[in-house]
Amino acid sequence: MNREQKIAWFMIVVIATSLVMSVVAVTVLYFIVGMPRDLDGFSCLGISGFAGFARLIFKKEKGVVEFDERIQIIRARAAAVAFSSMFSVTIISCISAFFIYGSEGMIPIKMLTIFVGVVAITLFFIYSLAIVIQYGRDSIDGGEKNERE
Amino acid sequence: MKGNKIKNVIRRLRFDHDEMTQQQLADMAGVTRQTIIAIEAGNYSPSLSLAFRIARAFGVKVEDIFQYESEDS
């Protein structure tokens, strides 16, 4: 597993953890304080911010080639998929807000933060997922056992 | 439009060169080992520049390593 994969996996794990914790927190709060205060549970999405430390945790190794033309292509494809997904989520968020609060309504800051957070999380989650999937396809043919075949 | 594929004999050439490892070839070509794995398996077609670097690592011509195979033919 190279640095790119490690970073992608780290991001997936951190973001997935924050999503699961948010859903659990919202569910628990729903039974304790009810709606709409249960939405405070989405503050657990803040945990996903730790994903930003990935490149600091997995540092570059000296003398090791970690970037080449294929990684460039993988990154480009992942970015394209991630931006498409982010665009879809952005539009869905805008339409949802329109239907929930109406054309003349006002969005609570809490909801605005959740919308923006979900859009940002979608971008990084899909990007990381696309990288892991693209590497996964090739690793079927190339494990350590192929080293001297 | 029918598909086509670029075949290669990198694996055989590695054997012929004192069982050169994928890592050694990757270091000589300036790419990651995973890229060599993907090329050998036919999952990735290298750029012209990389194809020349691989050929140079083996001391042969590019066309001695890579063959273009079309399903039309």
Side-chain angles (χ1 to χ4, degrees), chain A residues 98-145:
Chain A
F98 187 86
F99 280 108
I100 295 168
Y101 300 104
S103 58
E104 300 296 324
M106 294 172 77
I107 299 176
I109 293 295
K110 191 194 304 180
M111 288 308 294
L112 190 66
T113 313
I114 291 170
F115 283 154
V116 174
V118 168
V119 167
I121 284 170
T122 302
L123 176 71
F124 286 101
F125 188 76
I126 299 294
Y127 179 78
S128 303
L129 201 63
I131 283 179
V132 166
I133 289 170
Q134 287 183 83
Y135 272 113
R137 278 186 200 155
D138 292 345
S139 63
I140 295 165
D141 301 295
E144 290 294 328
K145 65 187 175 76

Side-chain angles (χ1 to χ4, degrees), chain B residues 8 10 15 17 20 22 25 27 29 31 42 44 48-50 57 61 63:
Chain B
N8 70 78
I10 292 176
F15 272 114
H17 285 74
M20 181 193 287
Q22 289 169 333
L25 177 59
D27 291 340
V31 293
Y44 174 68
L48 202 52
S49 163
L50 177 54
K61 292 177 185 172
E63 57 265 37

Side-chain angles (χ1 to χ4, degrees), chain A residues 1-2 5 65-71 73 135 138 141-144 146-149, chain B residues 11 14-15 19 21-23 30-35 37-38 41 43-44 46-47 50:
Chain A
M1 196 182 284
N2 67 16
Q5 285 171 289
V65 178
E66 289 175 334
F67 186 81
D68 59 26
E69 58 181 47
R70 183 166 154 269
I71 294 173
I73 291 170
Y135 272 113
D138 292 345
D141 301 295
E144 290 294 328
N146 281 344
E147 186 71 21
R148 282 181 180 270
E149 277 179 2
Chain B
R11 186 168 289 182
R14 283 199 297 113
F15 272 114
E19 295 195 1
T21 63
Q22 289 169 333
Q23 187 61 59
V31 293
T32 61
R33 190 176 76 89
Q34 284 165 314
T35 298
I37 290 166
N43 292 331
Y44 174 68
S47 67
L50 177 54

